[in-house]
Amino acid sequence: MKNKHSFIGSSVALITPMFDDGVVDYDALNQLIDFHIDAGTTAIVSVGTTGESATVGVKEHLKIIDHTIKYSSQRIPIIAGTGANSTSEAIDLTKEAKRLGADACLLVTPYYNKPTQEGLFQHFKSIAESVAIDQLLYNVPGRTAVNMTVETTARLAEIDNIIGIKDATGDLSVIKQLVKKCPEDFLLLTGDDATAVDFLISGGHGGISVTANIVPKELQKVYLAAISGQSDKAIELNSKIYKLHKNLFIESNPIPVKWALHKMGKCGKGIRLPLLELSNEFKSIIERDLEELNLA
């Protein structure tokens, strides 16, 4: 494969743990990194959507990435979230992530300004040409208000250091088209937990998961079974955690997953405005899921 790191299997879209006042809790972050290394998680995505990239400042964003890289000490690959709706800002963040020692970068489609397909192509092409680091595209139209087509993705897949895509459309017709139109060595990663097994059975190579924050070891078993063609086993294993896939999005991510990790004793309740702690009406749902899995 053209990429240095294969990222096959289950990678985690890691939360950024915070104290009640919103200050980053680096001790809790260390414990979460160890948790994923021990569980056999494929890679950690630092400061992606789940890591509250929208509400950390640029210096803080890079500090969290730097800390994650240094503490992990090459025990697990680190993918830095460096996307932005400004191409120049995305280039700057990606350059810094490379300097800090990230193994790859995850770049979301520009949000809010709604570029054309040619604009998306030129945006990602410019970043790839500006920074010699492995790069993963990230298509999540439910958050960005722009959908990158399979045709645009296939064009970008021809660029050497654009190594794959995290597809969070939840549309299983997309993975089938990506398999047909992208090079064999282009990584196809799911970003939608609810449809992940079907995505992997259809030809995907892995995923970047919110659910992996809670059950990393169990989810890795699901993913590896699906990738290896053991569909029945993957479906059976996934059925035990399927409610989590749904309920971790009962309010906007990362609200439910941060509450779940708090109930598991892995971090405080801190989350930054405009997001709030999980609504009281939903807490019992998450707590019930954790109890059924003997996690709380």
Side-chain angles (χ1 to χ4, degrees), residues 23-145:
V23 172
V24 176
D25 183 349
Y26 286 98
D27 287 336
L29 179 56
N30 292 346
Q31 292 173 28
L32 289 172
I33 293 167
D34 287 334
F35 176 53
H36 286 285
I37 291 168
D38 293 343
T41 296
T42 295
I44 288 172
V45 172
S46 178
V47 203
T49 306
T50 308
E52 292 176 78
S53 58
T55 52
V56 297
V58 173
K59 289 182 179 178
E60 189 177 35
H61 187 130
L62 294 170
K63 182 180 178 182
I64 296 165
I65 291 171
D66 185 35
H67 181 93
T68 302
I69 291 167
K70 285 177 177 173
Y71 183 77
S72 65
S73 190
Q74 299 184 326
R75 293 177 293 159
I76 186 171
I78 305 300
I79 303 169
T82 59
N85 61 350
S86 159
T87 304
S88 60
E89 181 181 343
I91 289 171
D92 289 344
L93 284 170
T94 304
K95 283 180 177 177
E96 282 300 297
K98 181 189 177 185
R99 183 184 66 80
L100 294 171
D103 295 292
C105 289
L106 178 69
L107 293 136
V108 69
T109 53
Y111 40 86
Y112 187 75
N113 44 16
K114 298 177 74 173
T116 62
Q117 293 301 310
E118 184 61 25
L120 289 171
F121 176 79
Q122 294 296 338
H123 170 81
F124 288 117
K125 179 174 178 283
S126 294
I127 301 166
E129 290 177 346
S130 298
V131 195
I133 188 172
D134 286 348
Q135 297 174 24
L136 292 161
L137 310 171
Y138 179 17
N139 190 33
V140 55
R143 281 188 178 264
T144 63

Side-chain angles (χ1 to χ4, degrees), residues 197 218-219 222 231-245 292-293:
V197 168
E218 292 79 359
L219 195 65
V222 171
S231 303
D232 291 344
K233 180 180 179 182
I235 292 167
E236 180 186 355
L237 291 171
N238 194 53
S239 68
K240 299 172 184 176
I241 56 175
Y242 188 75
K243 283 196 289 185
L244 267 185
H245 297 327
E292 289 177 3
L293 293 166

Side-chain angles (χ1 to χ4, degrees), residues 211-286:
T211 304
N213 280 278
I214 309 300
V215 284
K217 188 178 294 185
E218 292 79 359
L219 195 65
Q220 186 69 285
K221 290 177 181 176
V222 171
Y223 277 32
L224 294 180
I227 293 163
S228 65
Q230 301 176 73
S231 303
D232 291 344
K233 180 180 179 182
I235 292 167
E236 180 186 355
L237 291 171
N238 194 53
S239 68
K240 299 172 184 176
I241 56 175
Y242 188 75
K243 283 196 289 185
L244 267 185
H245 297 327
K246 292 287 189 180
N247 292 336
L248 288 178
F249 292 88
I250 203 164
E251 283 189 328
S252 295
N253 177 49
I255 293 172
V257 71
K258 289 196 103 173
W259 175 257
L261 285 166
H262 167 63
K263 295 304 293 183
M264 291 168 66
K266 295 192 177 295
C267 65
K269 295 187 290 184
I271 194 165
R272 290 191 181 174
L273 285 169
L275 300 184
L276 297 169
E277 179 184 308
L278 186 65
S279 299
N280 288 332
E281 64 188 287
F282 298 129
K283 288 178 179 176
S284 61
I285 294 172
I286 298 296

